[in-house]
Amino acid sequence: MRDKGGEAPSAPAPGGGYHLDRDHRRGTAGRPRPARLPDCGATLTGGGVHVAWCSGCGWNTDPGADAEEEPRGRIERVRRRLARRYGEQLFADLTAAGDDATAPAGRGRSGRLAGCLALAVHGLTVTLLAAGLAMILAGTGLVPVLGAIPVLLAVVLRPRFGSLRKAAADLPVLRRPDAPELFGLLDEVASTVGTTGVEAVVVDTAVNASVRTYGVRQRRVLTVGLGLWETLSPQERIALLGHEFGHYAHGDTRHGLVVATAFQSLDTWSYTLAPQESTSLLDDLMNLATALPRAAVDGVAGLLDHLTLRGSQRAEYLADEAAARAAGSEAAAALMDRLLCAGTLTGMLRREAIAARTRRGGDRSGDAAEGLWRRLAAQAAAVPATEYERLRRVAELRGHSVDSTHPPTHLRHRLLTARASHEPRIALDAERAARVDAELGDARRTLARQLLNG
């Protein structure tokens, strides 16, 4: 920030952050970047395919600041602000607590209240079903016909447990007989963090990964996004798996059956009661009639979200700690850097797809699928440490998080590096990693062809 005398280097903010004015952090638009900066005389870092910036005064740290999009909708903006505030509060609490901060995330008054509220949501569905059946069975005249309305509403609002078929769609699905080495690794990671493994693995192209449940028996399925998986080192892959299984080891409230299905029911209510476009008097009357229940549904959804948000944030920090215990603190912190590069990795895949479809990839276009993931990994490996440092500063300036249920990514990284370092409990050597890769080979080729051929 510039003082009255015009000197510019920005001072670190409390906690090690940097507070830069918008003009300074985005650089000078429309002008060639100088070899040295007039403010501090430092040599610029980066350049070429990466942003040229100054690590000393922060010049051009975030050249895309003007293009940053505000979250859409008042509720989402509030969630983002709360996520950042809770993330900062929890960071301070967990830093002070040190290694003792390992209590399950779902405990506490807020978690219990969220469970009660979720049960009340499901109770309304049961009440509608019971009232409708009573009207059908005991009513006379038009009453049984009218009783069909609450029954239909109850059917629409019933808890949905999902299915593997819907979750996988046209994606490759691996079972234990298909990939014994992979499932053995998953079982080992899950056991290390204190939970159980999965029934199936779905593979897609996303720069992401997740563990979800499906069916009445709530069986678990791991979704592996090759856009992220293929850019990680073997130990970073262990960290990724440790984090995803860590959600189930530490009692994440939002992953619980009762609360998760209550969110689904509220979403269905919100969709059903959404105002219609006003094209006639009947539309206006319907919108007026649904205004009060719509406000009630929004209020309950907002309250349930508020009650679970802090616990969800804590669960993310604890899942990061589980990742560090399984893979080592160094690998877990490196995984946070990869998450900061998610947008860059997605852009790499998009460019590969465009090049293949427009045949601008030279002699690679015919067999582009064979080398897609190898090229993606090579491009990710070429990202220098200085670019990761810039991205961490951008994350701090913007309050970056994966979404509104996650704490800011730079705080997750900082907590991992600030706490006592963990040595890896699971070491994935090159030979074992190669066997896992071989089991994913068919899925890798199938998805590469789908991605590049549209």
Side-chain angles (χ1 to χ4, degrees):
M1 298 177 65
R2 290 184 182 275
D3 58 23
K4 293 181 180 179
E7 291 299 321
S10 59
Y18 285 82
H19 292 169
L20 305 176
D21 61 73
R22 201 172 186 87
D23 288 337
H24 196 71
R25 81 193 217 198
R26 73 186 179 193
T28 306
R31 298 182 184 177
R33 295 188 178 99
R36 289 184 177 275
L37 297 181
D39 290 334
C40 64
T43 302
L44 291 182
T45 299
V49 297
H50 302 294
V51 173
W53 67 292
C54 178
S55 59
C57 69
W59 181 87
N60 208 43
T61 300
D62 188 8
D66 288 337
E68 180 184 356
E69 293 186 3
E70 288 292 326
R72 294 182 178 180
R74 180 177 59 84
I75 294 177
E76 184 62 20
R77 288 194 295 271
V78 171
R79 291 182 71 193
R80 290 280 175 150
R81 287 197 296 270
L82 285 174
R84 186 169 187 176
R85 187 177 76 190
Y86 287 157
E88 292 169 350
Q89 291 174 350
L90 285 167
F91 171 79
D93 293 344
L94 293 172
T95 300
D99 294 336
D100 295 330
T102 56
R107 294 181 181 175
R109 185 175 62 179
S110 293
R112 292 191 294 271
L113 288 174
C116 291
L117 185 58
L119 286 174
V121 171
H122 295 311
L124 176 60
T125 304
V126 173
T127 300
L128 286 171
L129 179 62
L133 290 176
M135 293 170 67
I136 293 172
L137 296 175
T140 59
L142 289 176
V143 173
V145 177
L146 295 175
I149 296 176
V151 170
L152 289 175
L153 281 174
V155 170
V156 171
L157 296 170
R158 73 189 187 281
R160 284 166 169 79
F161 304 107
S163 68
L164 182 58
R165 179 180 57 82
K166 291 182 179 179
D170 297 325
L171 298 171
V173 179
L174 300 177
R175 301 280 190 171
R176 288 183 178 272
D178 304 319
E181 193 70 45
L182 172 61
F183 277 87
L185 178 63
L186 297 179
D187 290 341
E188 185 177 356
V189 174
S191 176
T192 298
V193 302
T195 187
T196 56
V198 297
E199 294 289 325
V201 175
V202 177
V203 189
D204 64 18
T205 61
V207 186
N208 200 1
S210 64
V211 175
R212 294 173 293 168
T213 56
Y214 68 95
V216 177
R217 296 174 61 184
Q218 292 294 280
R219 296 177 176 177
R220 294 179 188 172
V221 56
L222 167 69
T223 300
V224 175
L226 292 179
L228 179 61
W229 180 265
E230 294 294 328
T231 66
L232 303 179
S233 70
Q235 283 307 116
E236 290 165 4
R237 293 176 180 179
I238 298 296
L240 177 67
L241 298 174
H243 175 91
E244 297 304 331
F245 284 120
H247 281 288
Y248 291 90
H250 291 105
D252 189 343
T253 304
R254 294 197 185 200
H255 281 70
L257 175 63
V258 174
V259 173
T261 50
F263 272 116
Q264 293 172 3
S265 293
L266 289 169
D267 285 343
T268 304
W269 270 118
S270 182
Y271 176 80
T272 304
L273 297 171
Q276 303 296 314
E277 183 180 356
S278 180
T279 59
S280 66
L281 179 60
L282 181 60
D283 290 332
D284 292 336
L285 291 175
M286 287 295 296
N287 289 338
L288 182 62
T290 58
L292 187 58
R294 182 167 61 248
V297 169
D298 289 343
V300 172
L303 179 58
L304 186 59
D305 185 74
H306 182 75
L307 289 172
T308 57
L309 183 56
R310 184 179 174 89
S312 180
Q313 298 254 310
R314 181 180 175 84
E316 290 296 335
Y317 281 125
L318 296 182
D320 290 339
E321 178 69 12
R325 291 198 309 271
S329 296
E330 183 178 349
L335 176 62
M336 293 300 103
D337 285 335
R338 296 297 192 196
L339 295 179
L340 289 174
C341 281
T344 302
L345 297 174
T346 301
M348 292 178 187
L349 287 174
R350 187 178 297 115
R351 288 192 296 273
E352 286 277 355
I354 292 172
R357 293 169 194 173
T358 57
R359 298 191 175 183
R360 292 178 181 175
D363 57 7
R364 295 186 314 176
S365 58
D367 297 316
E370 289 296 324
L372 171 65
W373 306 116
R374 184 174 62 252
R375 293 191 297 275
L376 179 69
Q379 291 179 65
V383 177
T386 53
E387 178 65 7
Y388 285 124
E389 172 61 24
R390 186 189 71 82
L391 290 172
R392 284 194 289 270
R393 294 198 191 183
V394 170
E396 185 165 359
L397 291 166
R398 296 188 182 187
H400 171 277
S401 61
V402 176
D403 58 38
S404 57
T405 66
H406 287 65
T409 310
H410 71 281
L411 293 182
R412 296 170 62 189
H413 184 281
R414 190 178 300 166
L415 187 62
L416 284 168
T417 55
R419 302 180 80 173
S421 179
H422 292 285
E423 292 299 319
R425 296 184 183 181
I426 301 174
L428 183 58
D429 58 47
E431 182 179 347
R432 189 179 184 187
R435 293 198 297 270
V436 171
D437 280 344
E439 292 175 345
L440 290 169
D442 289 343
R444 294 166 76 249
R445 287 185 289 272
T446 297
L447 290 171
R449 286 193 294 268
Q450 289 180 3
L451 182 70
L452 298 179
N453 296 332

mmCIF file of all heavy atoms in Angstrom, residues 79-101:
data_model
loop_
_atom_site.group_PDB
_atom_site.id
_atom_site.type_symbol
_atom_site.label_atom_id
_atom_site.label_comp_id
_atom_site.label_asym_id
_atom_site.label_seq_id
_atom_site.Cartn_x
_atom_site.Cartn_y
_atom_site.Cartn_z
ATOM 1 N N ARG A 79 -23.546 -16.886 2.891
ATOM 2 C CA ARG A 79 -22.831 -18.137 3.187
ATOM 3 C C ARG A 79 -21.331 -17.960 2.988
ATOM 4 O O ARG A 79 -20.536 -18.468 3.784
ATOM 5 C CB ARG A 79 -23.336 -19.260 2.278
ATOM 6 C CG ARG A 79 -24.757 -19.707 2.572
ATOM 7 C CD ARG A 79 -25.158 -20.848 1.667
ATOM 8 N NE ARG A 79 -24.464 -22.076 2.031
ATOM 9 C CZ ARG A 79 -24.432 -23.156 1.272
ATOM 10 N NH1 ARG A 79 -25.032 -23.149 0.093
ATOM 11 N NH2 ARG A 79 -23.802 -24.228 1.669
ATOM 12 N N ARG A 80 -20.938 -17.257 1.956
ATOM 13 C CA ARG A 80 -19.516 -17.042 1.705
ATOM 14 C C ARG A 80 -18.880 -16.224 2.828
ATOM 15 O O ARG A 80 -17.770 -16.527 3.274
ATOM 16 C CB ARG A 80 -19.327 -16.336 0.360
ATOM 17 C CG ARG A 80 -19.655 -17.190 -0.837
ATOM 18 C CD ARG A 80 -18.514 -18.118 -1.170
ATOM 19 N NE ARG A 80 -18.855 -19.027 -2.252
ATOM 20 C CZ ARG A 80 -17.962 -19.513 -3.109
ATOM 21 N NH1 ARG A 80 -16.705 -19.170 -2.997
ATOM 22 N NH2 ARG A 80 -18.341 -20.337 -4.057
ATOM 23 N N ARG A 81 -19.590 -15.190 3.264
ATOM 24 C CA ARG A 81 -19.047 -14.364 4.349
ATOM 25 C C ARG A 81 -18.937 -15.178 5.639
ATOM 26 O O ARG A 81 -17.929 -15.095 6.351
ATOM 27 C CB ARG A 81 -19.915 -13.134 4.565
ATOM 28 C CG ARG A 81 -19.786 -12.072 3.486
ATOM 29 C CD ARG A 81 -20.332 -10.738 3.954
ATOM 30 N NE ARG A 81 -21.763 -10.792 4.231
ATOM 31 C CZ ARG A 81 -22.704 -10.546 3.324
ATOM 32 N NH1 ARG A 81 -22.355 -10.243 2.068
ATOM 33 N NH2 ARG A 81 -23.980 -10.602 3.653
ATOM 34 N N LEU A 82 -19.981 -15.953 5.928
ATOM 35 C CA LEU A 82 -19.935 -16.783 7.127
ATOM 36 C C LEU A 82 -18.831 -17.835 7.031
ATOM 37 O O LEU A 82 -18.150 -18.127 8.017
ATOM 38 C CB LEU A 82 -21.284 -17.465 7.343
ATOM 39 C CG LEU A 82 -22.421 -16.602 7.875
ATOM 40 C CD1 LEU A 82 -23.723 -17.394 7.889
ATOM 41 C CD2 LEU A 82 -22.099 -16.080 9.271
ATOM 42 N N ALA A 83 -18.677 -18.428 5.843
ATOM 43 C CA ALA A 83 -17.642 -19.447 5.657
ATOM 44 C C ALA A 83 -16.263 -18.867 5.938
ATOM 45 O O ALA A 83 -15.429 -19.495 6.601
ATOM 46 C CB ALA A 83 -17.703 -20.013 4.238
ATOM 47 N N ARG A 84 -16.031 -17.658 5.458
ATOM 48 C CA ARG A 84 -14.731 -17.052 5.692
ATOM 49 C C ARG A 84 -14.549 -16.719 7.171
ATOM 50 O O ARG A 84 -13.488 -16.963 7.747
ATOM 51 C CB ARG A 84 -14.578 -15.790 4.844
ATOM 52 C CG ARG A 84 -13.179 -15.173 4.934
ATOM 53 C CD ARG A 84 -12.971 -14.104 3.892
ATOM 54 N NE ARG A 84 -11.577 -13.656 3.883
ATOM 55 C CZ ARG A 84 -11.092 -12.791 3.022
ATOM 56 N NH1 ARG A 84 -11.871 -12.282 2.081
ATOM 57 N NH2 ARG A 84 -9.825 -12.429 3.066
ATOM 58 N N ARG A 85 -15.613 -16.186 7.799
ATOM 59 C CA ARG A 85 -15.498 -15.822 9.210
ATOM 60 C C ARG A 85 -15.297 -17.052 10.088
ATOM 61 O O ARG A 85 -14.418 -17.082 10.953
ATOM 62 C CB ARG A 85 -16.758 -15.072 9.660
ATOM 63 C CG ARG A 85 -16.642 -14.498 11.076
ATOM 64 C CD ARG A 85 -17.886 -13.719 11.431
ATOM 65 N NE ARG A 85 -18.988 -14.621 11.758
ATOM 66 C CZ ARG A 85 -20.240 -14.216 11.920
ATOM 67 N NH1 ARG A 85 -20.559 -12.939 11.721
ATOM 68 N NH2 ARG A 85 -21.190 -15.085 12.236
ATOM 69 N N TYR A 86 -16.122 -18.102 9.847
ATOM 70 C CA TYR A 86 -15.965 -19.319 10.630
ATOM 71 C C TYR A 86 -14.605 -19.964 10.374
ATOM 72 O O TYR A 86 -13.977 -20.506 11.288
ATOM 73 C CB TYR A 86 -17.074 -20.318 10.281
ATOM 74 C CG TYR A 86 -18.437 -19.955 10.818
ATOM 75 C CD1 TYR A 86 -19.590 -20.457 10.228
ATOM 76 C CD2 TYR A 86 -18.577 -19.113 11.918
ATOM 77 C CE1 TYR A 86 -20.852 -20.129 10.707
ATOM 78 C CE2 TYR A 86 -19.835 -18.782 12.400
ATOM 79 C CZ TYR A 86 -20.960 -19.284 11.793
ATOM 80 O OH TYR A 86 -22.201 -18.963 12.269
ATOM 81 N N GLY A 87 -14.175 -19.928 9.109
ATOM 82 C CA GLY A 87 -12.875 -20.514 8.794
ATOM 83 C C GLY A 87 -11.751 -19.842 9.549
ATOM 84 O O GLY A 87 -10.829 -20.493 10.057
ATOM 85 N N GLU A 88 -11.805 -18.521 9.659
ATOM 86 C CA GLU A 88 -10.780 -17.778 10.387
ATOM 87 C C GLU A 88 -10.865 -18.049 11.881
ATOM 88 O O GLU A 88 -9.835 -18.210 12.558
ATOM 89 C CB GLU A 88 -10.917 -16.287 10.087
ATOM 90 C CG GLU A 88 -10.558 -15.929 8.645
ATOM 91 C CD GLU A 88 -10.949 -14.511 8.270
ATOM 92 O OE1 GLU A 88 -11.674 -13.860 9.072
ATOM 93 O OE2 GLU A 88 -10.549 -14.049 7.181
ATOM 94 N N GLN A 89 -12.099 -18.098 12.425
ATOM 95 C CA GLN A 89 -12.259 -18.382 13.848
ATOM 96 C C GLN A 89 -11.753 -19.778 14.191
ATOM 97 O O GLN A 89 -11.043 -19.974 15.186
ATOM 98 C CB GLN A 89 -13.734 -18.248 14.240
ATOM 99 C CG GLN A 89 -14.264 -16.825 14.214
ATOM 100 C CD GLN A 89 -15.758 -16.768 14.472
ATOM 101 O OE1 GLN A 89 -16.442 -17.806 14.500
ATOM 102 N NE2 GLN A 89 -16.290 -15.567 14.667
ATOM 103 N N LEU A 90 -12.125 -20.751 13.380
ATOM 104 C CA LEU A 90 -11.695 -22.124 13.630
ATOM 105 C C LEU A 90 -10.196 -22.283 13.466
ATOM 106 O O LEU A 90 -9.565 -23.058 14.189
ATOM 107 C CB LEU A 90 -12.439 -23.078 12.693
ATOM 108 C CG LEU A 90 -13.896 -23.348 13.052
ATOM 109 C CD1 LEU A 90 -14.608 -24.022 11.896
ATOM 110 C CD2 LEU A 90 -13.984 -24.218 14.302
ATOM 111 N N PHE A 91 -9.622 -21.555 12.514
ATOM 112 C CA PHE A 91 -8.171 -21.597 12.352
ATOM 113 C C PHE A 91 -7.488 -21.153 13.637
ATOM 114 O O PHE A 91 -6.542 -21.801 14.109
ATOM 115 C CB PHE A 91 -7.745 -20.696 11.183
ATOM 116 C CG PHE A 91 -6.257 -20.506 11.068
ATOM 117 C CD1 PHE A 91 -5.465 -21.487 10.496
ATOM 118 C CD2 PHE A 91 -5.643 -19.351 11.547
ATOM 119 C CE1 PHE A 91 -4.091 -21.319 10.399
ATOM 120 C CE2 PHE A 91 -4.284 -19.182 11.447
ATOM 121 C CZ PHE A 91 -3.496 -20.161 10.877
ATOM 122 N N ALA A 92 -7.972 -20.054 14.211
ATOM 123 C CA ALA A 92 -7.394 -19.565 15.463
ATOM 124 C C ALA A 92 -7.604 -20.572 16.593
ATOM 125 O O ALA A 92 -6.684 -20.842 17.383
ATOM 126 C CB ALA A 92 -8.006 -18.212 15.824
ATOM 127 N N ASP A 93 -8.806 -21.147 16.680
ATOM 128 C CA ASP A 93 -9.096 -22.107 17.747
ATOM 129 C C ASP A 93 -8.247 -23.368 17.621
ATOM 130 O O ASP A 93 -7.682 -23.861 18.615
ATOM 131 C CB ASP A 93 -10.580 -22.494 17.723
ATOM 132 C CG ASP A 93 -11.498 -21.334 18.083
ATOM 133 O OD1 ASP A 93 -10.987 -20.333 18.636
ATOM 134 O OD2 ASP A 93 -12.705 -21.424 17.788
ATOM 135 N N LEU A 94 -8.154 -23.895 16.410
ATOM 136 C CA LEU A 94 -7.402 -25.129 16.205
ATOM 137 C C LEU A 94 -5.907 -24.905 16.363
ATOM 138 O O LEU A 94 -5.188 -25.793 16.833
ATOM 139 C CB LEU A 94 -7.709 -25.702 14.820
ATOM 140 C CG LEU A 94 -9.140 -26.212 14.619
ATOM 141 C CD1 LEU A 94 -9.380 -26.575 13.166
ATOM 142 C CD2 LEU A 94 -9.416 -27.410 15.510
ATOM 143 N N THR A 95 -5.431 -23.728 15.977
ATOM 144 C CA THR A 95 -4.021 -23.407 16.175
ATOM 145 C C THR A 95 -3.703 -23.358 17.664
ATOM 146 O O THR A 95 -2.665 -23.879 18.116
ATOM 147 C CB THR A 95 -3.665 -22.068 15.520
ATOM 148 O OG1 THR A 95 -3.936 -22.147 14.120
ATOM 149 C CG2 THR A 95 -2.198 -21.738 15.715
ATOM 150 N N ALA A 96 -4.590 -22.746 18.442
ATOM 151 C CA ALA A 96 -4.366 -22.654 19.883
ATOM 152 C C ALA A 96 -4.469 -24.019 20.556
ATOM 153 O O ALA A 96 -3.727 -24.325 21.496
ATOM 154 C CB ALA A 96 -5.374 -21.691 20.502
ATOM 155 N N ALA A 97 -5.387 -24.873 20.053
ATOM 156 C CA ALA A 97 -5.597 -26.181 20.668
ATOM 157 C C ALA A 97 -4.490 -27.164 20.335
ATOM 158 O O ALA A 97 -4.268 -28.128 21.068
ATOM 159 C CB ALA A 97 -6.942 -26.755 20.234
ATOM 160 N N GLY A 98 -3.790 -26.940 19.236
ATOM 161 C CA GLY A 98 -2.705 -27.831 18.841
ATOM 162 C C GLY A 98 -3.202 -29.213 18.494
ATOM 163 O O GLY A 98 -4.269 -29.390 17.909
ATOM 164 N N ASP A 99 -2.471 -30.235 18.903
ATOM 165 C CA ASP A 99 -2.805 -31.606 18.533
ATOM 166 C C ASP A 99 -4.001 -32.157 19.299
ATOM 167 O O ASP A 99 -4.465 -33.265 19.021
ATOM 168 C CB ASP A 99 -1.603 -32.533 18.767
ATOM 169 C CG ASP A 99 -0.445 -32.199 17.842
ATOM 170 O OD1 ASP A 99 -0.712 -31.618 16.767
ATOM 171 O OD2 ASP A 99 0.709 -32.503 18.190
ATOM 172 N N ASP A 100 -4.539 -31.400 20.273
ATOM 173 C CA ASP A 100 -5.694 -31.873 21.027
ATOM 174 C C ASP A 100 -7.006 -31.648 20.284
ATOM 175 O O ASP A 100 -8.052 -32.130 20.703
ATOM 176 C CB ASP A 100 -5.771 -31.152 22.382
ATOM 177 C CG ASP A 100 -4.577 -31.499 23.269
ATOM 178 O OD1 ASP A 100 -4.059 -32.622 23.125
ATOM 179 O OD2 ASP A 100 -4.179 -30.647 24.087
ATOM 180 N N ALA A 101 -6.966 -30.869 19.205
ATOM 181 C CA ALA A 101 -8.194 -30.495 18.488
ATOM 182 C C ALA A 101 -8.604 -31.582 17.513
ATOM 183 O O ALA A 101 -8.530 -31.431 16.310
ATOM 184 C CB ALA A 101 -7.981 -29.179 17.749
#
